[in-house]
Amino acid sequence: MSSTAPEAPVEPTSLKIALAQLNPVVGDLAGNGQKLLDARAEAAARGADLIVFPELFLTGYPPEDLVLKPAFQMAAREHVEALAARLGPGPAVLVGTVWPERGSVYNAMVLLDGGSVAAVRFKVDLPNYGEFDEKRVFSPGDLASPVSVRGVRIGVPICEDIWKDEVAECLAECGAEILVVPNGSPFDWKKPDLRMNVAVARVTETGLPLAYVNQIGGQDELVFDGASFVLNADHSLAVQLPAWEEHVAITEWQKTDAGWVCARDEGALHRLPEGDAAAYQACVLGLRDYVEKNKFPGVVLGLSGGVDSALVAAMAVDALGPARVHAIMMPYRFTSSQSIADAIACADALGIHLDTVPIEPVVDAFSNALSGLFANRPHDITEENIQSRARGVIVMAISNKFGAMVLTTGNKSEMSVGYATLYGDMNGGFNPVKDLYKLEIYRLSRWRNTAVPEGALGPSGEVVPEHVITRPPSAELRENQTDQDSLPPYEVLDDILVCLVEQEMRVADVIARGHDPETVRKVERLLYAAEYKRRQAAPGVKISSRSFGRDRRYPITNRFRE
């Protein structure tokens, strides 16, 4: 009697991986789960073997202290298990979620296949800098082996895990054939190049191809640009998904003698916006998602005739469309006829409704009420701030009556030195230009006048009137006022602020760049003194590596000076 040895399993020679670059909503487990099902159905129809979603996609990213809530932890796990049971034949699913296990809570990727949770992998390297504080809410995972999908060993380092070499090298040593990296990587000016450099370093060290899957969308101050990609082991770019939009891409892989190779798809090599174009897109997407995800019907803003409010109005129209943007001109005796004309020109160019509400009766009412208390005292900044606060009351009243959210329009230069009025022009629910210096406001205004970003709902052509860009900036709170009555020229101020805020340079080193010593010390003094204002400012889109609030957290009570 003879017997035959069992046949060896057939080694796979091809694989289709879908990359799901999507926009989740934090806490919306059911809505994010439905997005997953819809994307999987699309991927199944296109023959995918595996579909990969971004980091913490099911819960939304970043969930912050929601992670500490036991009810949220259990709801996330229950949703994962319910989704697994619902999945019929089709591609395996690799999705990010909060995962409680044995008294700890992890940032996890779960593999759903065959009607169950087939594998779970935990994030090892928890970031704890800048906008990240994952060590507060998650436990770190241990180094782990790859997961198996259709006979292919897939390494799953999660976001920060590839910013150092240990996790990727461990996966390679454990037999990984492809690295699939789910991410929740927020945008800033320098981030796209940094990501690519990190990915190239891991490919070089491991000799493995790498698929990078990032989410898109706004979440409070953070904005995610997507821009997912695939690098082959020879460092060639096989796939580049677009930035700033949802996209499900099918990547096709073949097994060769040298390992797995992703087919280069010329149609999937999208060109990414850079510089000012990318920053503008970030501001628009951050604003759109803040309004939409919080279910505001629209926005209202004061349109002063200045460049900051004009640019914010353009961003709002691009994000929401002109019908959902309401502009208010609030003139006073110091408001020039040119400012009124410029505000009208801007509203006309954008196609938005502009109402005029003079503030003189309101200011007079405040002044009369305070006249006895202020008797025998000269007019000063107090009376100027009453004007700003009168405007703040008016826009907030309009918001209360009609439901639109107030946009505030102060730039980073002003917020750095406190050139803004608490409970006045700082009133608002969101500020899309909060992380843009004044010179960047000018640059983005000029850029928008010559280009319409992809997906924008606003018109082409000049939307920020040229005169608004070229006239000297002024708060117009007293006769013939300009910003430079109180501040250095913005070319000087912004350079000093970049040195002090973005680079944390010593005052002596800033002076050594050629700046006047007294000016530098004045700016430093104002920067420290304005911290209490910034703590009360509206949230706004983060596009730099040193945004106020998320990245730069200074004490309000602080006597240190250089």
Side-chain angles (χ1 to χ4, degrees):
M1 195 169 179
S2 63
S3 63
T4 58
E7 292 185 8
V10 177
E11 290 283 332
T13 58
S14 64
L15 190 72
K16 287 187 177 182
I17 302 176
L19 310 182
Q21 178 177 290
L22 299 177
N23 187 351
V25 178
V26 167
D28 188 4
L29 298 170
N32 297 335
Q34 188 58 54
K35 270 184 172 284
L36 180 152
L37 293 172
D38 292 344
R40 181 180 185 262
E42 177 185 344
R46 297 165 66 184
D49 300 296
L50 169 67
I51 181 168
V52 183
F53 293 85
E55 176 183 17
L56 292 179
F57 176 80
L58 188 64
T59 57
Y61 183 82
E64 300 189 80
D65 281 10
L66 269 178
V67 176
L68 302 177
K69 193 175 185 65
F72 182 70
Q73 299 167 14
M74 293 313 301
R77 180 156 181 165
E78 289 166 2
H79 269 77
V80 168
E81 291 167 347
L83 279 170
R86 286 183 62 184
L87 297 180
V93 171
L94 192 60
V95 63
T97 186
V98 169
W99 190 262
E101 187 168 295
R102 296 189 299 276
S104 295
V105 184
Y106 299 95
N107 180 334
M109 291 298 294
V110 294
L111 180 67
L112 311 181
D113 200 15
S116 66
V117 178
V120 183
R121 293 294 183 268
F122 301 142
K123 190 172 185 177
V124 176
D125 195 351
L126 300 176
N128 201 54
Y129 57 86
E131 66 268 31
F132 305 110
D133 54 3
E134 291 189 27
K135 288 183 179 179
R136 285 186 65 246
V137 296
F138 289 117
S139 296
D142 295 325
L143 293 170
S145 60
V147 300
S148 179
V149 178
R150 308 296 181 262
V152 181
R153 296 182 298 278
I154 306 288
V156 190
I158 303 172
C159 198
E160 192 76 12
D161 286 343
I162 69 163
W163 287 72
K164 298 176 184 175
D165 57 11
E166 182 182 25
V167 176
E169 286 186 356
C170 176
L171 288 165
E173 290 168 1
C174 291
E177 299 173 89
I178 300 170
L179 297 178
V180 171
V181 189
N183 290 268
S185 178
F187 172 82
D188 67 45
W189 292 94
K190 300 176 182 178
K191 188 65 72 64
D193 287 341
L194 285 174
R195 290 186 199 128
M196 186 61 71
N197 291 340
V198 166
V200 167
R202 300 295 84 81
V203 168
T204 300
E205 292 159 0
T206 63
L208 298 176
L210 182 151
Y212 186 103
V213 187
N214 194 24
Q215 75 174 50
I216 73 126
Q219 171 58 29
D220 298 342
E221 299 98 329
L222 301 181
V223 63
F224 301 84
D225 53 326
S228 306
F229 59 86
V230 176
L231 287 176
N232 276 317
D234 64 0
H235 303 162
S236 63
L237 184 66
V239 174
Q240 175 63 72
L241 271 61
W244 312 115
E245 65 181 72
E246 292 189 303
H247 197 88
V248 177
I250 303 295
T251 63
E252 300 193 12
W253 299 74
Q254 296 292 324
K255 182 74 173 290
T256 70
D257 292 341
W260 286 92
V261 176
C262 180
R264 181 179 172 88
D265 184 351
E266 297 293 342
L269 290 174
H270 295 267
R271 184 175 180 180
L272 302 180
E274 297 177 341
D276 293 342
Y280 190 92
Q281 287 274 38
C283 294
V284 168
L285 180 58
L287 171 57
R288 178 187 297 134
D289 273 4
Y290 194 85
V291 171
E292 300 291 12
K293 291 180 180 181
N294 290 292
K295 299 184 177 181
F296 289 104
V299 295
V300 59
L301 75 157
L303 194 62
S304 66
V307 68
D308 298 327
S309 62
L311 181 62
V312 170
M315 289 175 172
V317 171
D318 284 339
L320 306 170
R324 298 175 68 188
V325 180
H326 185 185
I328 311 294
M329 178 66 184
M330 294 169 281
Y332 188 54
R333 67 185 63 162
F334 303 124
T335 304
S336 69
S337 58
Q338 186 63 59
S339 292
I340 295 171
D342 287 342
I344 292 170
C346 181
D348 288 346
L350 291 167
I352 59 177
H353 183 67
L354 175 66
D355 281 316
T356 299
V357 181
I359 67 168
E360 188 153 359
V362 185
V363 174
D364 287 349
F366 278 120
S367 299
N368 291 335
L370 294 165
S371 59
L373 192 61
F374 289 178
N376 302 317
R377 289 182 176 270
H379 281 213
D380 56 19
I381 195 172
T382 305
E383 283 73 23
E384 295 180 16
N385 286 342
I386 286 174
Q387 298 168 51
S388 181
R389 291 184 175 121
R391 293 182 172 111
V393 169
I394 288 168
V395 293
M396 288 306 301
I398 292 168
S399 173
N400 291 160
K401 184 63 70 175
F402 299 105
M405 183 188 70
V406 176
L407 292 179
T408 182
T409 63
N411 60 68
K412 192 172 185 177
S413 305
E414 294 171 350
M415 292 308 302
S416 294
V417 296
Y419 194 65
T421 305
L422 271 176
Y423 325 121
D425 59 323
M426 287 178 64
N427 277 6
F430 196 75
N431 181 356
V433 298
K434 182 179 180 178
D435 205 21
L436 290 171
Y437 288 109
K438 188 73 170 189
L439 296 183
E440 293 168 345
I441 294 282
Y442 287 126
R443 287 210 323 264
L444 265 64
S445 297
R446 292 191 181 282
W447 177 85
R448 179 57 181 87
N449 281 346
T450 62
V452 181
E454 190 74 27
L457 302 177
S460 59
E462 186 178 272
V463 294
V464 179
E466 180 65 19
H467 188 265
V468 171
I469 299 173
T470 57
R471 67 185 294 214
S474 171
E476 293 192 322
L477 299 176
R478 62 178 181 268
E479 199 71 50
N480 299 318
Q481 181 186 23
T482 69
D483 289 5
Q484 270 56 68
D485 296 340
S486 305
L487 301 173
Y490 282 112
E491 292 80 3
V492 174
L493 178 61
D494 283 4
D495 187 70
I496 294 172
L497 288 172
V498 168
C499 293
L500 295 177
V501 176
E502 315 296 321
Q503 301 175 23
E504 292 287 2
M505 288 174 60
R506 292 168 53 91
V507 165
D509 294 333
V510 181
I511 293 170
R513 289 170 61 87
H515 292 295
D516 172 63
E518 182 52 37
T519 299
V520 175
R521 293 190 182 97
K522 176 185 177 181
V523 172
E524 183 209 27
R525 184 172 66 252
L526 293 172
L527 178 64
Y528 282 132
E531 187 63 39
Y532 80 101
K533 288 187 178 183
R534 291 191 289 271
R535 292 286 185 95
Q536 300 178 66
V541 177
K542 167 189 156 56
I543 62 167
S544 77
S545 59
R546 291 288 283 170
S547 66
F548 291 124
R550 280 283 183 178
D551 302 311
R552 189 181 187 275
R553 307 176 192 180
Y554 269 62
I556 297 173
T557 305
N558 168 25
R559 292 187 180 179
F560 176 77
R561 301 292 186 272
E562 290 186 48

